[in-house]
Every structure is written in structure tokens, then in C-alpha cells.
Amino acid sequence: MTQACKLAAGNWKMNGLRADMAEARALATALTAPSCGVLLCPPATLVAAMADALSGSAVMVGGQDCHAAASGAHTGDISAQMLADSGASYVILGHSERRADHGESSGDVAAKARAAHAAGLIAIICLGETEAERDAGQTLDVVLRQLAESVPEGATAANTVIAYEPVWAIGTGRTPTLEQISEVHDALRANLPDSAISLLYGGSVKPGNAAEIFAIANVDGALVGGASLKAADFGAIVAALDAA
Ligand code: PGA
């Protein structure tokens, strides 16, 4: 079996002005030939500038969303090809904040992933249960249904990454137990269309808990929000993944 690639991905969400690119540059300078992939996904306004600033470094750049259509009358939206044209190589899709704030369904996410693949981008498809769903014992049902409905045909390890992000762990400082993460990642691995697709954990990953999370079998990296905004914190998480 081909091994999944390790990836540390930072999601800046709606944070980051041009001045904050200093953090991205500091990260790129601090990283000397990491063995894992390192990715920053800034807001769309910074994708092109960051891709230029980090060109030739170990840090790759991605978007946080794209439209399902290739072009056309969609005011305010951006296409996968525009992201690729700006220097992005990845795009985060179906983050729970987009599912909640913009009513994105798993079908919408699959359509966006098809567009990402057509533009040559690697889609990071996010899924995860709410706290109510976990309390009701529905976690595996929910994430496996999201996996089946959000991942389009043709998804392989070369064009798709899956991020398991429990909604209640995002930005809260709370994380599932290592056993709970392991249970979900094992179930995801068993149901992937290509078993070499990388599986990221996301939700309150910090320098202090990264190593124990990366030691879990079937965790191939992390999708990091708050802790990706500072080069020192994200660099420490990258180092923990490199050492895993
Ligand atoms: P967090 O966010 O690391 O701030 O919890 C993770 C995410 O939403 O991708």
C-alpha cells in the first residue's frame, strides 16, 4: 500500500492583512527542508502575494473555498482556476464554517471538489460532527455520510486530502480524546476511495498537543486554524509532524 503523505496545513480564515505576510515569510525562513508538506491558506486577497513571496520556499499556498463553476456571473466568488492562476496548489472545501455560514451541503462540496480537480488543485475536503451529534452517538454515521457525499468520483491521493474536524473542537481549545480521534480516522481510512489519501485532524491543534495527535495511526497531519497565524506556533507544529 502506498503511504499517505504528511501535511501540516494552516487555515488563516478571515484573518490576515498584507502586514501579516511577515509571519508567512518567517515560517518559510525557519523551515529548512521539512519532510512533510507545509501549506498556508490565507484569505483570497493574499493568495497571489503570498504565493509570490513564498515562491521557492518549502511552504505551499492554498485557497479556503472556490465556486463549483469554472467562470461566469457569480459576483463575489472565485473559481478554482483563479486560485491556481494566483499560485495556489490546494483549496480547502466544505469547512464547517462554510457549511454553517453559507449552507453548503455535501453535494455542494463534491461539486466544488470536481471544479478544484479540473483546475489541477488538491482539494482538502473537511468533515466533522457537531457536539449534539457526538452526544447522540452519531459521530461515525455523520462523518462517513459526509465522506461518501462530499468526495467526488475520481478522487485519489494525488488530488484529495480529507480533514476530520469535529465542529465543537474548532477554535474552542477542546479536543477529542486520542481514542476518539483514532476511532474516526480508522473508520475514514477503511472507507476512502484510495487508501493513500492523507487524513488530517483539525480542531484546536497547538504546539502542546500536536505530537500526541501525530502519534495516532492514520493521522497524517493537521489542519490548523488559530495556531497557524504565528510562525513560531505553526513552525512548532510542523516540527512535531516532521518528528512523528
Ligand atoms: P482551530 O481551527 O485550529 O483554530 O481550532 C481549525 C480549523 O477550523 O481548521
Side-chain angles (χ1 to χ4, degrees):
M1 188 184 85
T2 323
Q3 273 229 290
C5 297
K6 296 201 285 184
L7 177 66
N11 174 10
W12 278 18
K13 309 192 179 185
M14 200 170 70
N15 301 292
L17 302 174
R18 293 182 71 88
D20 300 303
M21 299 253 299
E23 292 296 326
R25 282 195 207 90
L27 178 73
T29 306
L31 295 179
T32 47
S35 64
C36 63
V38 182
L39 171 70
L40 283 178
C41 299
T45 48
L46 290 184
V47 167
M50 192 179 284
D52 284 348
L54 302 186
S55 127
S57 83
V59 184
M60 301 175 286
V61 176
Q64 299 177 8
D65 177 49
C66 70
H67 197 278
S71 64
H74 302 288
T75 302
D77 280 309
I78 53 174
S79 72
Q81 190 188 4
M82 290 169 184
L83 288 173
D85 185 54
S86 299
S89 45
Y90 286 76
V91 61
I92 299 169
L93 295 174
H95 190 281
S96 65
E97 288 152 14
R98 293 212 56 91
R99 290 180 188 258
D101 296 356
H102 299 270
E104 288 185 11
S105 68
S106 291
D108 296 331
V109 176
K112 290 174 177 221
R114 278 183 207 103
H117 292 163
L121 294 178
I122 300 173
I124 301 180
I125 297 175
C126 303
L127 29 92
E129 82 286 1
T130 62
E131 185 156 35
E133 288 164 341
R134 177 162 284 279
D135 289 346
Q138 297 167 345
T139 298
L140 290 185
D141 287 348
V142 168
V143 299
L144 291 178
R145 188 175 347 112
Q146 288 177 333
L147 181 76
E149 294 176 358
S150 308
V151 177
E153 62 292 340
T156 68
N159 63 20
T160 303
V161 170
I162 303 295
Y164 167 56
E165 300 202 302
V167 178
W168 52 274
I170 294 175
T172 60
R174 298 167 57 205
T175 54
T177 65
L178 301 180
E179 292 71 24
Q180 287 170 330
I181 296 173
S182 173
E183 180 188 32
V184 173
H185 279 243
D186 288 354
L188 289 171
R189 177 79 68 210
N191 286 277
L192 290 174
D194 172 352
S195 63
I197 287 176
S198 298
L199 292 176
L200 311 184
Y201 167 77
S204 297
V205 177
K206 310 282 178 213
N209 62 15
E212 61 184 14
I213 292 171
F214 296 148
I216 301 170
N218 288 323
V219 173
D220 305 310
L223 182 54
V224 182
S228 72
L229 293 167
K230 293 283 168 225
D233 288 345
F234 196 45
I237 291 169
V238 172
L241 183 59
D242 250 349

